[in-house]
Amino acid sequence: MQKMPWKGGLFGDATLAKHIRKGDLPMESVLERARQEITALREEIRHHDYRYYVLNSPEISDAEYDRLMRRLRELEAVYPALITPDSPTQRVGGAPLAAFGQVEHLVPLLSLDNAVTQAELWEFDSRIQRRWQGESLTYVVEPKIDGLAVALTYEDGVLVRGATRGDGERGEDITQNLRTIASVPLRLRGDEVPPILDVRGEAYMDRRAFDELNQRRGAAGEPLFANPRNAAAGSLRQLDPQITAGRRLSVFMYALGYYEGLDLATHWQVLEYLRQVGFRVNPLIERCSDIAAVWEYCQKLQTERDGLTYDIDGAVVKVDSLAAQAGLGATGKSPRWAVAFKFPAEEATTVVEDIIIQVGRTGALTPLALLRPVEVAGSTVSRATLHNADVLKAKDVRIGDTVIIRKAGDVIPEIVKPVESKRTGQERIFVFPSHCPVCNAEVQRLPGEAVSRCIGTACPAQLVEGLVHFASRGAMDIEGLGPALISQLVETGLVKDAADIYVLSAEELLKLPRVGKKSAENLLAAIEASKSRTLARVVYALGIRLVGEAAARELAAHFGTMDRLLATSREELQQIPQIGDKIADSITTFMAEPQNQRVIQRLKEAGITMTETPVRPMAESSLLEGKTVVLTGTLERYSRQKAAELVRSLGGKVTNSVTGKTDYVIAGANPGSKYAKAMEMKIPILAEADLDGLLEG
Ligand code: IVH
């Protein structure tokens, strides 16, 4: 990468301006300097785009990146003549169109035949073996991204056209919309680019962007998108590229259409090449030596499906050899050398039997639809979230409605939309309550917030949920103290706050239905054991709004004792790197409440850990000191929680996703996509036994 030719600014520099006025620095040389800095900045930005989008391994912070972009924008504003269409600043440009033009594809975009069963996959393989008598064939298997097929055309390395698939022969010209997608390169990397390159892939919206978009639309009273695919399609069909730019779309590219002068023999090489010139290629793609390995891949992918950040609807199996692909040819619109192995649908139709309101521990009211049980993507679904009053209204789901439900990712299933044609007129509109269905206190909705909350401080629902959280695994981890027992304890009045748990007696417990001598003893032992949890867990267990496990650890490490945390100020909290303004506010409000202070005091009297016992790394030169570690798969002897604590006790930091900053991945049985990614990024992978080894020093 070229370094910036000189430090400092070009304009806004008084000395420079003076020279120009005096005429002893000719305008041409000023322009030349600008040109050089602009070129260097563009190269640097493209390099960082590549690190971020293709390698998933950024080298600089977002702030640093923004600084580069800002500088480039400034320069281009002063020297507009130097703006080129492939500049990173020129993603969103052009006026809204009146209509999309038509594009004839250089090579048609084919579609795929489907296989649904294992037998159909084997049939696909035998068909190929029969037709292809040459050397034995390997396959490449890819996730089938549930988005929209697109074709991108580059001339001399510069993006000139982007189109939808259309009927395969002709699509719509959506160039200015595709340009707004950050992972679509406006210019290819490297100097050896062919005169024409036609690349195919899938544009999609990830689940998070989709959820946020629908939240925003719900709040604005706009119709919601049914699923990420529709949202992606709707976003790319906008005539105003400004709207598309606000939709956070992504692409994965997976094939070449027309190209000249490249020496490629296999599909695997095509993918490598695509990565090399700057395209985002899915990291889960693998090569399989035979159809049995393909089947295994499909099974594995299906188990990982929920954990992905985007929707897939199957796997695409492709013959690796390009010569064999050409030899096998196509029938009608589908190639003989590829097949789509489809996963069970994530959507199903059922009936809303009732709509109820759940009150969470922060008092948030969530509407839930109770459904006639239905099978979706391998599990039975009987309830679906309706999120909040806005979403309920936007979706207009009524009791008795036939609805399409969707279960994507490891989230609670949700209702896509009612099937209006099935309405009989008997359906009932659900009215969002103005009072808490549990304690009858008023329901409040603050301006700008999507959630409605019960304001009753003594609301039993909040108490039950709060106690469930208090006793949960990541918090005080009191085995045997689950939601059912907690509800009983609250209903009988034995427990009115978390501190009451620690004064429960065997006699009291034995009076409860379904509690025997043995279970009472076990419960009391578990309660006793919970007294020695770390301060971080105690802080987390308190259930302070916005304080998750990571923030709680941060607070425990910073303050060292509960008393110091109790006495803290907003200002002091804001000094802590991970604690933002909102969290700081939430903590100070919580700590200022006399009720909460009393509970903390009583917890302390009950003998619960209130100071941080500093966990020192075992050895000075611990292998994990200062290292970033990601956990994946099921460990045999440790829960995730415990393993994370061990890593931290060895001086390491545990994060959720594998990035360029990850030092080690600890993998247990059935590891997920994090494992695949670590392999691909060549990040050292440790087994459970290695962790044991480290602990033994
Ligand atoms: S290959 C000739 N690979 O699935 C091969 N398609 O029904 C053509 N899709 O229209 C497509 N992920 O929109 C291929 N990794 C992948 C894919 C993929 C998603 C879509 C694509 C295509 C449809 C085929």
Side-chain angles (χ1 to χ4, degrees):
M1 192 198 1
Q2 202 178 318
K3 275 269 159 276
M4 212 91 86
W6 55 82
K7 281 208 200 96
L10 229 195
F11 64 94
D13 177 336
T15 333
L16 188 69
K18 203 165 71 198
H19 283 303
I20 297 171
R21 269 200 306 278
K22 273 170 64 186
D24 57 3
L25 190 62
M27 195 58 205
E28 297 81 74
S29 103
V30 175
L31 256 179
E32 186 45 39
R33 281 190 178 199
R35 194 188 312 273
Q36 281 184 33
E37 188 179 353
I38 285 177
T39 308
L41 277 166
R42 285 179 188 159
E43 253 175 61
E44 203 173 347
I45 291 168
R46 274 187 208 116
H47 168 80
H48 293 301
D49 283 341
Y50 182 68
R51 298 286 319 185
Y52 189 90
Y53 292 108
V54 181
L55 304 183
N56 199 1
S57 167
E59 289 171 336
I60 57 171
S61 66
D62 290 358
E64 188 71 5
Y65 180 87
D66 291 344
R67 200 185 58 74
L68 295 173
M69 276 299 263
R70 236 185 352 261
R71 176 70 184 148
L72 179 58
R73 281 216 181 83
E74 280 172 356
L75 283 172
E76 289 182 344
V78 176
Y79 304 102
L82 299 182
I83 298 177
T84 55
D86 64 342
S87 170
T89 60
Q90 302 302 301
R91 287 203 173 266
V92 194
L97 300 172
F100 295 120
Q102 288 263 310
V103 176
E104 186 134 1
H105 297 303
L106 297 171
V107 170
L109 273 77
L110 301 177
S111 59
L112 293 172
D113 281 337
N114 291 340
V116 181
T117 61
Q118 186 176 12
E120 284 169 354
L121 204 53
W122 254 258
E123 275 162 32
F124 160 75
D125 181 59
S126 344
R127 268 197 309 274
I128 288 180
Q129 304 291 353
R130 269 199 308 278
R131 277 190 167 259
W132 184 255
Q133 306 284 347
E135 78 280 7
S136 81
L137 294 175
T138 53
Y139 292 109
V140 173
V141 205
E142 315 181 347
K144 187 168 183 300
I145 313 297
D146 202 3
L148 212 75
V150 294
L152 304 171
T153 309
Y154 291 79
E155 284 176 14
D156 296 322
V158 177
L159 175 67
V160 293
R161 203 163 311 102
T164 61
R165 175 175 185 275
D167 63 5
E169 307 276 341
R170 229 162 278 112
E172 278 181 321
D173 185 339
I174 52 165
T175 312
Q176 57 171 359
N177 289 343
L178 288 170
R179 288 176 62 93
T180 67
I181 302 178
S183 45
V184 167
L186 298 179
R187 165 183 282 277
L188 301 181
R189 283 171 62 79
D191 303 323
E192 286 171 51
V193 289
I196 296 188
L197 189 72
D198 172 23
V199 191
R200 277 83 195 271
E202 200 83 352
Y204 69 95
M205 185 178 285
D206 71 30
R207 291 172 180 160
R208 183 143 157 214
F210 166 71
D211 288 339
E212 286 170 6
L213 174 62
N214 263 358
Q215 287 278 354
R216 282 202 305 275
R217 290 175 75 86
E222 289 165 347
L224 305 186
F225 285 111
N227 52 45
R229 179 166 35 83
N230 289 5
S235 303
L236 284 175
R237 238 177 263 126
Q238 294 294 328
L239 291 166
D240 180 358
Q242 205 79 42
I243 298 180
T244 315
R247 294 285 173 84
R248 288 202 287 136
L249 298 166
S250 308
V251 289
F252 278 124
M253 303 311 285
Y254 49 66
L256 284 176
Y258 181 82
Y259 63 94
E260 287 170 8
L262 295 174
D263 186 19
L264 300 165
T266 62
H267 180 58
W268 190 255
Q269 285 173 5
V270 168
L271 298 173
E272 294 262 278
Y273 173 75
L274 290 178
R275 253 189 214 115
Q276 182 197 317
V277 293
F279 291 103
R280 191 158 173 262
V281 175
N282 191 287
L284 302 177
I285 300 178
E286 278 180 25
R287 237 181 325 189
C288 295
S289 56
D290 57 19
I291 201 71
V294 167
W295 172 248
E296 233 172 81
Y297 175 96
C298 292
Q299 301 290 97
K300 190 177 82 181
L301 187 63
Q302 205 165 327
T303 61
E304 286 172 4
R305 182 187 192 185
D306 276 357
L308 299 179
T309 52
Y310 46 87
D311 281 6
I312 60 173
D313 57 346
V316 182
V317 187
K318 302 173 180 175
V319 166
D320 193 22
S321 152
L322 298 184
Q325 286 187 3
L328 287 162
T331 55
K333 286 195 172 209
S334 329
R336 287 199 189 85
W337 47 266
V339 74
F341 180 75
K342 298 277 267 188
F343 292 160
E346 289 184 313
E347 287 182 4
T349 305
T350 187
V351 174
V352 175
E353 295 185 325
D354 202 359
I355 294 176
I356 58 163
I357 291 283
Q358 260 194 340
V359 186
R361 94 179 134 84
T362 58
L365 268 60
T366 309
L368 261 190
L370 303 185
L371 307 169
R372 184 169 299 161
V374 63
E375 189 88 7
V376 200
S379 58
T380 306
V381 171
S382 58
R383 33 177 61 202
T385 177
L386 283 160
H387 299 287
N388 55 50
D390 287 339
V391 170
L392 181 66
K393 189 159 166 229
K395 291 192 173 170
D396 184 25
V397 175
R398 306 177 189 179
I399 300 167
D401 259 342
T402 298
V403 290
I404 298 171
I405 62 162
R406 179 181 129 84
K407 180 181 158 282
D410 31 21
V411 291
I412 320 167
E414 60 177 8
I415 292 184
V416 174
K417 60 174 177 197
V419 185
E420 282 175 37
S421 60
K422 291 252 169 122
R423 281 201 176 140
T424 61
Q426 298 297 302
E427 296 75 17
R428 279 184 295 129
I429 294 178
F430 177 80
V431 184
F432 206 87
S434 57
H435 288 82
C436 174
V438 179
C439 74
N440 211 30
E442 207 178 305
V443 168
Q444 188 183 56
R445 184 169 166 189
L446 296 176
E449 280 210 17
V451 282
S452 314
R453 283 178 212 282
C454 160
I455 59 165
T457 44
C459 177
Q462 289 181 52
L463 178 57
V464 169
E465 293 297 324
L467 292 171
V468 169
H469 168 78
F470 184 85
S472 69
R473 261 185 141 199
M476 300 306 275
D477 194 11
I478 308 178
E479 219 187 306
L481 191 56
L485 186 54
I486 289 175
S487 296
Q488 283 184 9
L489 290 169
V490 170
E491 276 163 28
T492 50
L494 282 173
V495 170
K496 296 194 187 65
D497 60 39
D500 285 344
I501 294 174
Y502 292 91
V503 292
L504 285 171
S505 67
E507 294 76 54
E508 285 168 335
L509 288 172
L510 284 170
K511 282 190 207 130
L512 298 172
R514 287 184 303 278
V515 176
K517 191 154 175 283
K518 189 79 201 143
S519 58
E521 267 170 24
N522 288 345
L523 183 63
L524 288 174
I527 292 173
E528 189 58 35
S530 75
K531 290 181 179 172
S532 53
R533 301 283 176 253
T534 58
L535 177 63
R537 277 168 169 258
V538 180
V539 172
Y540 172 62
L542 291 176
I544 307 167
R545 252 187 93 198
L546 306 177
V547 176
E549 286 175 275
R553 274 197 298 277
E554 204 63 38
L555 293 168
H558 182 90
F559 292 100
T561 73
M562 186 66 88
D563 286 339
R564 284 212 50 222
L565 175 59
L566 264 168
T568 186
S569 64
R570 198 169 176 275
E571 290 65 39
E572 185 180 10
L573 285 164
Q574 283 165 333
Q575 304 292 311
I576 309 174
Q578 262 88 326
I579 308 294
D581 290 357
K582 278 191 177 167
I583 308 186
D585 277 343
S586 167
I587 295 168
T588 40
T589 316
F590 183 94
M591 294 301 179
E593 167 62 46
Q595 238 183 65
N596 296 336
Q597 291 171 0
R598 269 197 302 279
V599 172
I600 293 173
Q601 182 56 32
R602 287 179 53 225
L603 286 172
K604 192 174 171 184
E605 284 160 14
I608 284 151
T609 313
M610 290 289 162
T611 57
E612 179 80 325
T613 23
V615 248
R616 280 276 97 229
M618 299 263 172
E620 278 291 287
S621 59
S622 161
L623 183 56
L624 297 185
E625 183 72 68
K627 301 287 189 215
T628 301
V629 178
V630 172
L631 299 167
T632 178
T634 320
L635 299 181
E636 226 168 75
R637 263 155 307 128
Y638 308 114
S639 65
R640 268 288 167 93
Q641 194 77 43
K642 185 74 194 158
E645 262 171 33
L646 291 176
V647 169
R648 281 192 286 272
S649 77
L650 291 166
K653 188 170 119 195
V654 178
T655 60
N656 261 329
S657 48
V658 177
T659 70
K661 293 200 186 101
T662 310
D663 294 297
Y664 297 104
V665 169
I666 298 181
N670 301 318
S673 56
K674 293 175 192 170
Y675 181 84
K677 203 157 156 204
M679 292 283 274
E680 184 177 321
M681 294 175 68
K682 304 205 167 58
I683 294 168
I685 297 173
L686 306 180
E688 186 169 352
D690 296 317
L691 187 59
D692 291 337
L694 290 175
L695 285 169
E696 282 152 22

